[in-house]
Amino acid sequence: MPEYNVPQISQDVYWVGVKDWNRRMFDALIPLPQGTTYNAYLVVGKEKTALIDTVNPGFEQELAGKVDQVANLDDVDYLVMNHAEPDHASAIPYVLNVSKGAALVTTEKGAKMAQVYFGVPEERIRIVADGDTIDLGGKTLKFIEAPWLHWPETMFTYLVESKVLFPCDFFGSHTAAGFYDDEVEELIPFAKRYYGEIMMPFNKMGKKALDKIDGLEIEIIAPSHGPIHRNPARILEAYGKWTAGETREKVIVAYVTMWNSTEAMIKAMVETLLGEGIEVALYNLVNADLGDIAKDLVDSRAIVLGTPTVLGGMHPQAIYAAHLVKALRPPLKYGVVLSSYGWGGGALKQAGEILGPTKIEVVDALEVHGPPSADDEERIVEIGKQLASKIRQG
Ligand code: FEO
């Protein structure tokens, strides 16, 4: 058995998580260019020991080996489940089987999920509510209900004496690089990408959670993915902006083209926006990374969607992007749709049907026959200027 790296992140608080360097997809949806981590933590009090969250399936032995380097897994008294998603909770049956006396600590909703997903017997579960505490002997765990970050049962755990917050998914990043925030050069881009993918649909709940922890003294934020924030101010400030839906004078342009006509329309639009001093993030949907798009949706004020008409509707890649925008609920205020058709339109109608229920104000939409003519390009410049004016208004 190798000697594992089990860093102490605070007095008697140990990282016992794992790095999954090679994972490349999450939830069959989110690309992971740098892998990810499943962070779990062991808190050793004078009388009791608590394990905070577990790891993804397949890493149970590594978790056990790491815990055993500090204290016997058999003797863990509490297993805190901040979140029931399997990347953190699937090793619960393994741990409870080894630690025969351990109680699973979770919210009321978490208790139901633990029974349904992991077959945890009711008598092994201790339900906690907002503000409840558990004394480990000189170390107090305080529980903070924080629903929908990222499922309805989620909570944070706060280690009172050490001022360490364990928020599970919240404040996380999908990267296996580095250990502390200051060791990861691209921390904010990775955190933002993760925020766009996972937290953005729950902006309001995120803001509520931030308000709730506002009065807490926090020296370390120890999330369940990515680097540990030993300088928490930076990520707290970023989350303040993202949960508030603060946008920039920025447009995300997402398009797909078959014979370059839609691309020509997009180019005219991009040149106009850049000329108006508007920041542009451009993605060809054929080879774009979903995580990059999610990152730029976090603070873009407008979207331009470009699609050819294919068999009476949008190109399937554009349909996917439009549905993604609808599902992720970014703080976009304005939208423009540009489309080219060969013999009959239909893409604009479908884009309207998908984006209609969102809060995006469609500033204009243009459908042209074949490549854009000089008149069409003039019209696109007009639309671009109109969009830029709206963006500058806020
Ligand atoms: Fe990292 Fe929602 O699980």
Side-chain angles (χ1 to χ4, degrees):
M1 178 70 74
E3 181 80 5
Y4 288 113
N5 173 43
V6 184
Q8 192 170 189
I9 65 162
S10 180
Q11 183 70 42
D12 297 322
V13 180
Y14 299 86
W15 177 81
V16 291
V18 300
K19 284 180 181 278
D20 195 350
W21 299 93
N22 295 320
R23 188 163 180 175
R24 284 295 173 266
M25 284 301 277
F26 198 90
D27 288 346
L29 178 68
I30 299 167
L32 304 176
Q34 293 188 346
T36 190
T37 64
Y38 317 110
N39 298 330
Y41 303 92
L42 192 72
V43 183
V44 183
K46 288 196 181 75
E47 286 139 29
K48 308 270 187 186
T49 300
L51 176 60
I52 299 184
D53 294 314
T54 69
V55 291
N56 201 69
F59 292 98
E60 296 86 353
Q61 299 290 337
E62 189 171 335
L63 171 72
K66 287 179 176 176
V67 172
D68 282 341
Q69 273 182 220
V70 179
N72 285 330
L73 183 61
D74 322 34
D75 298 332
V76 164
D77 300 284
Y78 300 106
L79 173 50
V80 176
M81 186 185 83
N82 282 322
H83 178 21
E85 194 163 8
D87 51 328
H88 311 292
S90 65
I92 285 172
Y94 177 92
V95 172
L96 291 183
N97 190 41
V98 175
S99 315
K100 301 286 186 203
L104 184 77
V105 179
T106 187
T107 58
E108 196 171 350
K109 285 193 172 123
K112 287 194 182 74
M113 290 187 178
Q115 289 172 63
V116 171
Y117 298 147
F118 310 114
V120 179
E122 203 175 343
E123 60 272 19
R124 300 274 320 251
I125 301 177
R126 174 165 168 179
I127 294 175
V128 288
D130 201 38
D132 283 358
T133 58
I134 288 179
D135 182 11
L136 304 177
K139 295 211 177 290
T140 311
L141 300 178
K142 185 173 183 180
F143 305 100
I144 301 163
E145 286 185 3
W148 291 105
L149 304 173
H150 136 236
W151 283 5
E153 84 298 355
T154 44
M155 68 173 186
F156 300 166
T157 299
Y158 178 61
L159 181 54
V160 177
E161 293 79 4
S162 310
K163 299 172 181 142
V164 181
L165 183 71
F166 304 98
C168 203
D169 276 349
F170 209 52
F171 301 120
S173 309
H174 279 313
T175 173
F179 186 71
Y180 287 112
D181 59 300
D182 46 282
E183 297 168 348
V184 179
E185 201 176 342
E186 292 181 285
L187 176 82
I188 292 299
F190 266 90
K192 190 174 171 190
R193 173 185 172 103
Y194 173 98
Y195 185 88
E197 293 158 338
I198 293 163
M199 294 296 160
M200 191 161 62
F202 310 110
N203 260 357
K204 283 185 185 155
M205 302 312 286
K207 191 167 188 322
K208 272 190 189 172
L210 282 188
D211 290 344
K212 215 166 179 179
I213 63 171
D214 193 36
L216 288 184
E217 280 186 79
I218 299 173
E219 286 186 359
I220 295 174
I221 295 177
S224 291
H225 294 292
I228 294 163
H229 304 279
R230 59 182 169 190
N231 311 285
R234 195 169 161 209
I235 194 72
L236 283 167
E237 187 191 344
Y239 264 60
K241 286 182 187 170
W242 300 339
T243 56
E246 276 188 28
T247 56
R248 300 156 61 93
E249 290 187 356
K250 172 176 168 183
V251 180
I252 183 164
V253 179
Y255 77 101
V256 58
T257 195
M258 292 166 75
W259 292 103
N260 302 330
S261 298
T262 305
E263 189 167 65
M265 298 174 80
I266 289 295
K267 278 185 176 168
M269 173 59 75
V270 168
E271 287 304 310
T272 305
L273 291 170
L274 291 175
E276 292 289 314
I278 303 294
E279 187 182 342
V280 171
L282 178 72
Y283 291 102
N284 183 332
L285 292 166
V286 170
N287 52 23
D289 179 302
L290 172 68
D292 288 334
I293 292 178
K295 171 171 70 66
D296 281 310
L297 283 171
V298 170
D299 59 4
S300 288
R301 199 167 295 167
I303 184 167
V304 172
L305 186 62
T307 175
T309 292
V310 184
L311 302 173
M314 299 163 76
H315 189 285
Q317 296 278 11
I319 294 173
Y320 180 66
H323 275 290
L324 197 69
V325 166
K326 190 175 164 189
L328 293 180
R329 290 183 241 160
L332 295 166
K333 289 189 172 176
Y334 309 109
V336 165
V337 185
L338 301 177
S339 179
S340 161
Y341 62 89
W343 55 89
L348 293 193
K349 182 169 174 286
Q350 190 175 18
E353 285 164 3
I354 298 171
L355 297 175
T358 70
K359 291 180 179 169
I360 300 169
E361 175 193 333
V362 178
V363 173
D364 213 332
L366 181 66
E367 204 164 34
V368 307
H369 187 189
S373 64
D375 284 351
D376 293 330
E377 291 199 346
E378 263 182 44
R379 180 81 190 104
I380 292 167
V381 170
E382 276 172 29
I383 295 171
K385 286 184 176 175
Q386 194 189 352
L387 180 61
S389 167
K390 289 263 190 188
I391 287 169
R392 281 193 291 267
Q393 285 165 26

mmCIF file of all heavy atoms in Angstrom, residues 83 85 87-88 150 169 225, ligand 1:
data_model
loop_
_atom_site.group_PDB
_atom_site.id
_atom_site.type_symbol
_atom_site.label_atom_id
_atom_site.label_comp_id
_atom_site.label_asym_id
_atom_site.label_seq_id
_atom_site.Cartn_x
_atom_site.Cartn_y
_atom_site.Cartn_z
ATOM 1 N N HIS A 83 -24.209 16.511 0.173
ATOM 2 C CA HIS A 83 -24.861 16.443 -1.150
ATOM 3 C C HIS A 83 -24.936 14.969 -1.539
ATOM 4 O O HIS A 83 -23.992 14.205 -1.280
ATOM 5 C CB HIS A 83 -23.984 17.244 -2.119
ATOM 6 C CG HIS A 83 -24.426 17.291 -3.545
ATOM 7 N ND1 HIS A 83 -25.711 17.046 -3.967
ATOM 8 C CD2 HIS A 83 -23.718 17.596 -4.673
ATOM 9 C CE1 HIS A 83 -25.765 17.184 -5.283
ATOM 10 N NE2 HIS A 83 -24.586 17.509 -5.722
ATOM 11 N N GLU A 85 -25.262 13.625 -4.655
ATOM 12 C CA GLU A 85 -24.842 13.184 -5.997
ATOM 13 C C GLU A 85 -23.715 12.149 -5.848
ATOM 14 O O GLU A 85 -22.841 12.286 -4.986
ATOM 15 C CB GLU A 85 -24.392 14.374 -6.860
ATOM 16 C CG GLU A 85 -24.285 13.962 -8.332
ATOM 17 C CD GLU A 85 -24.239 15.122 -9.332
ATOM 18 O OE1 GLU A 85 -24.137 16.283 -8.921
ATOM 19 O OE2 GLU A 85 -24.308 14.822 -10.541
ATOM 20 N N ASP A 87 -20.931 11.462 -7.132
ATOM 21 C CA ASP A 87 -19.495 11.789 -7.117
ATOM 22 C C ASP A 87 -18.999 12.101 -5.699
ATOM 23 O O ASP A 87 -17.803 12.053 -5.441
ATOM 24 C CB ASP A 87 -19.155 12.939 -8.080
ATOM 25 C CG ASP A 87 -20.022 14.162 -7.916
ATOM 26 O OD1 ASP A 87 -21.205 14.020 -7.561
ATOM 27 O OD2 ASP A 87 -19.528 15.283 -8.144
ATOM 28 N N HIS A 88 -19.919 12.373 -4.791
ATOM 29 C CA HIS A 88 -19.537 12.626 -3.391
ATOM 30 C C HIS A 88 -20.123 11.598 -2.425
ATOM 31 O O HIS A 88 -19.649 11.468 -1.304
ATOM 32 C CB HIS A 88 -20.007 14.014 -2.932
ATOM 33 C CG HIS A 88 -19.639 15.086 -3.896
ATOM 34 N ND1 HIS A 88 -18.334 15.457 -4.114
ATOM 35 C CD2 HIS A 88 -20.391 15.831 -4.743
ATOM 36 C CE1 HIS A 88 -18.304 16.389 -5.043
ATOM 37 N NE2 HIS A 88 -19.535 16.630 -5.447
ATOM 38 N N HIS A 150 -26.073 21.621 -5.310
ATOM 39 C CA HIS A 150 -26.652 21.748 -6.620
ATOM 40 C C HIS A 150 -27.964 20.958 -6.782
ATOM 41 O O HIS A 150 -28.633 21.042 -7.816
ATOM 42 C CB HIS A 150 -25.517 21.326 -7.562
ATOM 43 C CG HIS A 150 -25.648 20.463 -8.710
ATOM 44 N ND1 HIS A 150 -24.957 19.312 -8.927
ATOM 45 C CD2 HIS A 150 -26.406 20.658 -9.803
ATOM 46 C CE1 HIS A 150 -25.226 18.812 -10.091
ATOM 47 N NE2 HIS A 150 -26.109 19.591 -10.648
ATOM 48 N N ASP A 169 -20.389 21.271 -3.640
ATOM 49 C CA ASP A 169 -20.214 21.738 -5.020
ATOM 50 C C ASP A 169 -19.965 23.246 -5.129
ATOM 51 O O ASP A 169 -19.260 23.706 -6.042
ATOM 52 C CB ASP A 169 -21.470 21.413 -5.850
ATOM 53 C CG ASP A 169 -21.476 19.986 -6.395
ATOM 54 O OD1 ASP A 169 -20.440 19.317 -6.326
ATOM 55 O OD2 ASP A 169 -22.538 19.564 -6.883
ATOM 56 N N HIS A 225 -14.835 19.966 -5.193
ATOM 57 C CA HIS A 225 -14.135 19.834 -6.477
ATOM 58 C C HIS A 225 -13.091 20.939 -6.575
ATOM 59 O O HIS A 225 -13.377 22.104 -6.271
ATOM 60 C CB HIS A 225 -15.092 20.016 -7.670
ATOM 61 C CG HIS A 225 -16.132 18.949 -7.809
ATOM 62 N ND1 HIS A 225 -15.831 17.647 -8.157
ATOM 63 C CD2 HIS A 225 -17.473 18.991 -7.664
ATOM 64 C CE1 HIS A 225 -16.948 16.940 -8.220
ATOM 65 N NE2 HIS A 225 -17.967 17.732 -7.916
HETATM 66 FE FE1 FEO B 1 -20.141 17.316 -7.458
HETATM 67 FE FE2 FEO B 1 -23.476 17.874 -7.707
HETATM 68 O O1 FEO B 1 -21.978 16.843 -7.450
#
